[in-house]
Amino acid sequence: MFDTALGKFKVVATVEGISFLVLLFIAMPLKYMFGYPIATKIVGMIHGGLFIWYIYALYEAHRETNWGFKFSVWAFIASLIPFATFYLKKQLDAIK
């Protein structure tokens, strides 16, 4: 899985997608419904680091696979939409 930049990107996309969902559906309700702002601080920092790792892995995979510009932009936008990184990973699994 970690043999290629594409393999690394697939793993990072999954982990980043999970952290985004944890931030949206666990940490934010804890903050706004139950008054625990520390939840978003902790999960937000972890997600931010994973997002940076995602961008770096995307860059490396783009270079290795010679993706078109449009696909790389779609992969970036996928990181901003809940559940989209899982769909992206499914597309990438279908290619290989």
Side-chain angles (χ1 to χ4, degrees):
M1 192 56 97
F2 283 107
D3 301 350
T4 64
L6 180 59
K8 290 176 191 174
F9 178 69
K10 289 178 184 180
V11 171
V12 173
T14 302
V15 173
E16 194 273 339
I18 291 169
S19 76
F20 190 32
L21 295 178
V22 169
L23 180 64
L24 290 177
F25 297 113
I26 296 174
M28 291 186 72
L30 282 173
K31 177 179 180 178
Y32 292 109
M33 294 174 153
F34 302 106
Y36 293 105
I38 192 72
T40 54
K41 288 181 184 180
I42 293 169
V43 176
M45 284 194 312
I46 293 168
H47 173 67
L50 290 170
F51 179 75
I52 292 169
W53 190 22
Y54 178 90
I55 298 303
Y56 177 73
L58 172 61
Y59 170 73
E60 291 293 320
H62 173 80
R63 282 187 35 214
E64 178 185 272
T65 59
N66 295 319
W67 287 337
F69 180 73
K70 286 183 181 181
F71 188 81
S72 294
V73 169
W74 151 238
F76 172 75
I77 291 170
S79 70
L80 306 175
I81 302 169
F83 300 102
T85 56
F86 305 115
Y87 178 73
L88 173 65
K89 184 182 177 297
K90 189 173 182 177
Q91 282 185 324
L92 294 174
D93 287 341
I95 292 171
K96 287 261 178 177

